[in-house]
Amino acid sequence: KAGVTQTPRYLIKTRGQQVTLSCSPISGHRSVSWYQQTPGQGLQFLFEYFSETQRNKGNFPGRFSGRQFSNSRSEMNVSTLELGDSALYLCASSLVAGGGNEQFFGPGTRLTVL
Amino acid sequence: AQSVTQLDSQVPVFEEAPVELRCNYSSSVSVYLFWYVQYPNQGLQLLLKYLSGSTLVKGINGFEAEFNKSQTSFHLRKPSVHISDTAEYFCAVSDGGRRALTFGSGTRLQVQP
């Protein structure tokens, strides 16, 4: 069974631009969560989608948004990029929603904002 | 609100020595607890989890953890580490339901020859 895939793996953008990251969950998994990982703030929860609906949202500004498609693939978008958005963005999938379920993580997308 | 404290940011240890990585949590309800490992330039991999039942949980790669409700702890242990165990380890908690996972700040395990 293929694992969680994220594209692209690396991305370089400049301040003010926007970016879209993609995540394909494990086949059969309907829940996708997104996390931001930085040296200073650690792992922080962004949002969770289940059956195309956002079920949970972390404490991030509205510049961060996401969506989920009918095939469970998910995208997250960051608009008006800031230097502080430089981070490793991790996607995790699970069979059902909720933090109590085992989450399988992808390798991440490393975003650098110049 | 739930929170996780990993008391040690770095733990250096010699190969074949035992190791314990400490994790304390705070939650007002019953909890699910997890340990994840992250190797350089990779995502997180689940080591083990406690959902209910026996308080001693065995995971992959010879790791185990003990859930202690009175001490609100979930320390990770391995009796004999290997160079390949060098990685960052994250403790995480969830109260289940709709709540997302909350991660600790991580402990970098450095195994020296």
Side-chain angles (χ1 to χ4, degrees), chain B:
Chain B
Q2 55 194 30
S3 65
V4 179
T5 302
Q6 290 185 245
L7 296 158
D8 306 297
S9 59
Q10 294 189 65
V11 173
V13 62
F14 288 106
E15 195 172 17
E16 297 183 9
V19 72
E20 177 180 84
L21 306 184
R22 297 179 293 169
C23 171
N24 286 87
Y25 68 90
S26 156
S27 178
S28 59
V29 295
S30 58
V31 294
Y32 302 137
L33 293 156
F34 304 82
W35 275 99
Y36 282 87
V37 61
Q38 186 177 33
Y39 299 102
N41 299 315
Q42 293 187 29
L44 276 68
Q45 179 184 7
L46 182 68
L47 276 176
L48 48 80
K49 59 186 176 185
Y50 171 79
L51 302 181
S52 65
S54 172
T55 57
L56 184 61
V57 181
K58 293 193 183 295
I60 62 171
N61 301 340
F63 285 93
E64 63 181 33
E66 184 151 21
F67 170 58
N68 188 321
K69 189 174 181 178
S70 62
Q71 310 244 341
T72 59
S73 67
F74 191 55
H75 300 333
L76 180 71
R77 302 185 184 101
K78 186 170 182 177
S80 175
V81 295
H82 191 266
I83 293 282
S84 60
D85 292 322
T86 295
E88 186 128 26
Y89 292 78
F90 293 92
C91 182
V93 65
S94 170
D95 65 1
R98 297 177 67 87
R99 288 273 205 109
L101 275 178
T102 298
F103 284 89
S105 54
T107 297
R108 187 172 298 278
L109 177 62
Q110 299 164 311
V111 182
Q112 303 162 0

Side-chain angles (χ1 to χ4, degrees), chain A residues 1 6 20 37 48 54 56 64 69-70 98 108 112:
Chain A
K1 193 184 257 188
Q6 292 187 245
T20 299
Q37 185 177 24
E48 178 187 21
Q54 188 181 89
N56 217 339
F64 292 81
F69 302 95
S70 58
T112 301

Side-chain angles (χ1 to χ4, degrees), chain A residues 87-101:
Chain A
L88 181 67
Y89 289 88
L90 292 164
C91 162
S93 77
S94 59
L95 277 171
V96 293
N101 300 287

